[in-house]
Amino acid sequence: MARPTGRAYKIRLMKKAEIEEFFTRLEARDPSPKGELNYTNPFTLLVAVVLSAQATDIGVNKATGALFREVSTPAEMLALGEAGLKQHIRTIGLFNSKAKNVIALSELLIAEHGGEVPTDRDALVKLPGVGRKTANVVMNIAFGAPTIAVDTHLFRVSNRTGMAPGKTPIEVERKLEKRIPKKFLLHAHHWLILHGRYVCKARKPDCPACVVSDLCRYKAKTTV
């Protein structure tokens, strides 16, 4: 999962009615959006998200395919060991530090949470390698919490469109939580990340194919 750049766009704020229409259209196009990381349970989801930092979902899925057939619990991860884990994830960037974090968080899950992934953010962010963004992803996907995890795609879309402009991920997150209608909050994270990944791309947004282009405040829209 890519890291936000910290760049904010000076742009006019979207109106409440426009945000409602924005998500109405995204919902019509994709009523049940899903994350693109493969997992089998909350623990493997947590591991996948930790591994996805500064890496692509495709790359993580390639590395975890065999891993998650062998490991599905913190105890099994500890039995595999750090060296064994590294053999599975060596194609992922920063795999050495990520392996240490996954082993350490597995130990902590067993010691303090009975081997289960906690459902609240405060407990999640205390796990090694888990920050607010990772915690929000796990809470949303595994436990159905209406959280917003601001990665580089959400940061870009929120600023470009004028939906929730901000200079930091936490600023954008809090604005999105306030501005997005509650009925859309559960899936908002997925809609925005997929929109940023495949349509509102960093180098050249595909504005002609965008279903919300007329609502967007971005001045440098593409025409072809």
Side-chain angles (χ1 to χ4, degrees):
M1 182 178 291
R3 177 182 297 174
T5 63
R7 177 187 177 190
Y9 298 80
K10 292 182 179 180
I11 206 158
R12 188 162 52 94
L13 202 65
M14 285 180 72
K15 296 178 181 179
K16 184 176 181 180
E18 291 172 323
I19 295 175
E20 173 97 20
E21 178 64 19
F22 186 100
F23 285 101
T24 296
R25 294 183 192 178
L26 294 186
E27 181 181 46
R29 185 182 61 179
D30 186 5
S32 301
K34 304 292 182 183
E36 295 187 319
L37 284 172
N38 295 334
Y39 66 97
T40 61
N41 59 22
F43 174 68
T44 55
L45 172 64
L46 174 61
V47 171
V49 180
V50 169
L51 295 177
S52 72
Q54 301 181 58
T56 66
D57 288 358
I58 292 174
V60 172
N61 288 340
K62 287 181 179 178
T64 58
L67 174 64
F68 291 160
R69 287 193 292 271
E70 183 177 349
V71 170
S72 62
T73 67
E76 290 173 347
M77 186 66 74
L78 293 183
L80 177 64
E82 186 176 325
L85 175 57
K86 287 180 180 180
Q87 289 302 308
H88 282 285
I89 67 170
R90 62 185 183 277
T91 57
I92 299 175
L94 306 175
F95 74 92
N96 283 313
S97 60
K98 290 177 180 179
K100 290 181 183 296
N101 283 334
V102 169
I103 293 300
L105 72 82
S106 297
E107 292 175 338
L108 199 58
L109 288 176
I110 292 172
E112 298 188 6
H113 301 285
E116 299 295 326
V117 176
T119 60
D120 65 284
R121 185 185 291 118
D122 289 343
L124 282 165
V125 297
K126 291 178 181 178
L127 298 172
V130 178
R132 184 181 181 89
K133 181 175 65 175
T134 295
N136 282 346
V137 172
V138 172
M139 290 170 63
N140 180 269
I141 297 177
F143 306 120
T147 53
I148 304 290
V150 179
D151 70 348
T152 186
H153 300 298
L154 270 82
F155 190 85
R156 180 173 64 254
V157 172
S158 299
N159 276 287
R160 271 185 180 172
T161 60
M163 182 183 299
K167 295 182 179 180
T168 65
I170 188 66
E171 182 183 358
V172 170
E173 177 188 331
R174 288 171 176 164
K175 285 185 177 181
L176 286 172
E177 288 177 341
K178 290 181 179 179
R179 305 206 75 211
I180 296 173
K182 290 184 178 180
K183 64 182 179 180
F184 296 123
L185 272 176
L186 179 60
H187 294 313
H189 163 78
H190 293 304
W191 283 319
L192 291 175
I193 193 172
L194 293 172
H195 190 68
R197 183 173 289 168
Y198 298 112
V199 181
C200 195
K201 295 172 282 191
R203 293 185 180 181
K204 186 180 180 182
D206 190 2
C207 299
C210 178
V211 298
V212 291
S213 179
D214 60 310
L215 304 172
C216 174
R217 301 289 195 241
Y218 190 47
K219 295 180 180 179
K221 289 189 176 75
T222 59
T223 57
V224 292

